[in-house]
Amino acid sequence: MNEPPRMARSGAAVPRKIAERARQISDGRLSPAVPRDAATVILLRQAASGVEAFLLRRTAELEFAPGAYVFPGGSVDPRDADETIGWAGPAPADFGALLDVPPDHARALVCAAVRETFEESGVLLAGPSNSPADLVRDSAVLAGDRHALLTGSASLGEVLGRRDLVLRADLLTPWARWITPEVSPRRFDTWFFAAALPPGQTATAAPEGHADPGESESGTWLGPAAALEAAKAGGITLLPPTAVTLGELAGHHDVAGILARRRVITPRLPKVVVEDGQVRLTMPQAGEREAQ
């Protein structure tokens, strides 16, 4: 069994509403919300200056993390568990071993990762069923399919089926698992995957030629170190898991090196701690190791 990540002793102060929820949970007056399964993809490309990651700026009207810069991702949909979705690459059981979940759970997480990446960035990690080693090389022709997914009028399985495509599970590298703190009113159990931008595809925040019904107002490519510097200077807002992930990526000079990593995935759960009347956020310390 993997050891859980250690928690840092000191932490940042938290907003007043969150502090009050922490006290209520600590006193037994409030039960933590149950986290929903989610999947996120760290979409990467190789630039002249080094590795860049695609970040979306969430709209200011959202209840959860308004205005924050995040990787494409979202909640697992029941239709992501559809066993008829075309699949190429490591079997769900292989992913299950890496993610420490049953095969059917791993299938749903991988399908959600591919679907959410397509919905939120327009990048589809798929290839033709008669030649799955090839990749989709033009994002623009799929704008209508992306819009159908965003509006819920089609499922990933339906989009892939009518395009005669299969999902390319081999393009995803499991990276991390983050669980929203118990004190949060909305919680997610999110598996992070890393993937390279396929040749010929373009990442955008909204489907070309369609009004955007999604959750992001813009998208940009940033080097991990540059994104962290911008957040430090107050130019952008990063959620803790995003900032930690960018810090991990900052030590790599090429996308291939990142995708070659085989990390042991253990849950990371930031905690809001009540001590001596003070409420502070504590983060899990880095302690992950490579899979054998």
Side-chain angles (χ1 to χ4, degrees):
M1 180 179 295
N2 296 326
E3 294 183 1
R6 297 170 296 164
M7 301 300 295
R9 290 187 177 181
S10 60
V14 300
R16 182 176 299 176
K17 288 184 178 179
I18 295 297
E20 179 56 30
R21 285 183 60 87
R23 293 188 178 95
Q24 291 176 349
I25 291 174
S26 178
D27 295 342
R29 292 176 287 150
L30 183 68
S31 297
V34 177
R36 298 175 58 182
D37 279 347
T40 289
V41 173
I42 312 157
L43 196 59
L44 304 166
R45 73 177 184 184
Q46 192 70 43
S49 58
V51 175
E52 291 183 338
F54 186 67
L55 292 169
L56 293 162
R57 187 175 189 273
R58 291 171 60 81
T59 59
E61 293 76 19
L62 293 173
E63 180 181 353
F64 178 74
Y69 281 69
V70 299
F71 303 118
S75 299
V76 175
D77 186 279
R79 294 185 291 183
D80 294 325
D82 182 0
E83 294 185 357
T84 66
I85 293 175
W87 182 288
D94 297 325
F95 266 96
L98 293 173
L99 304 178
D100 195 24
V101 298
D104 57 341
H105 194 177
R107 168 183 275 276
L109 290 170
V110 170
C111 289
V114 171
R115 175 183 55 76
E116 285 286 345
T117 301
F118 183 45
E119 287 183 7
E120 297 209 331
S121 73
V123 173
L124 183 57
L125 303 175
S129 59
N130 61 353
S131 181
D134 293 333
L135 294 176
V136 172
R137 294 182 179 272
D138 187 351
S139 304
V141 299
L142 301 174
D145 296 306
R146 179 184 178 188
H147 188 263
L149 278 178
L150 280 167
T151 58
S153 60
S155 67
L156 176 64
E158 290 167 344
V159 167
L160 294 179
R162 66 188 179 214
R163 290 281 183 177
D164 200 20
L165 299 171
V166 294
L167 173 154
R168 286 287 302 274
D170 57 313
L171 300 180
L172 293 168
T173 295
W175 192 262
R177 178 184 176 188
W178 285 87
I179 303 176
T180 311
E182 291 183 342
V183 73
S184 300
R186 296 182 62 191
R187 302 184 64 210
F188 300 92
D189 188 350
T190 306
W191 278 260
F192 283 58
F193 300 87
L197 176 70
Q201 294 200 44
T202 303
T204 60
E208 185 174 344
H210 294 272
D212 181 16
E215 299 177 342
S216 303
E217 61 185 34
S218 63
T220 186
W221 290 93
L222 288 173
L228 291 171
E229 284 297 320
K232 184 178 180 181
I236 66 174
T237 300
L238 297 174
L239 297 176
T242 310
V244 171
T245 301
L246 290 169
E248 294 167 346
L249 298 174
H252 294 271
H253 301 291
D254 60 84
V255 173
I258 294 172
L259 300 182
R261 301 259 328 249
R262 294 295 178 265
R263 295 154 59 95
V264 173
I265 308 301
T266 56
R268 296 177 175 183
L269 175 61
K271 295 183 178 180
V272 175
V273 179
V274 181
E275 290 181 343
D276 300 325
Q278 300 296 315
V279 183
R280 293 189 174 277
L281 174 69
T282 61
M283 294 291 293
Q285 293 179 346
E288 70 279 343
R289 53 190 174 83
E290 296 296 305
Q292 299 301 314

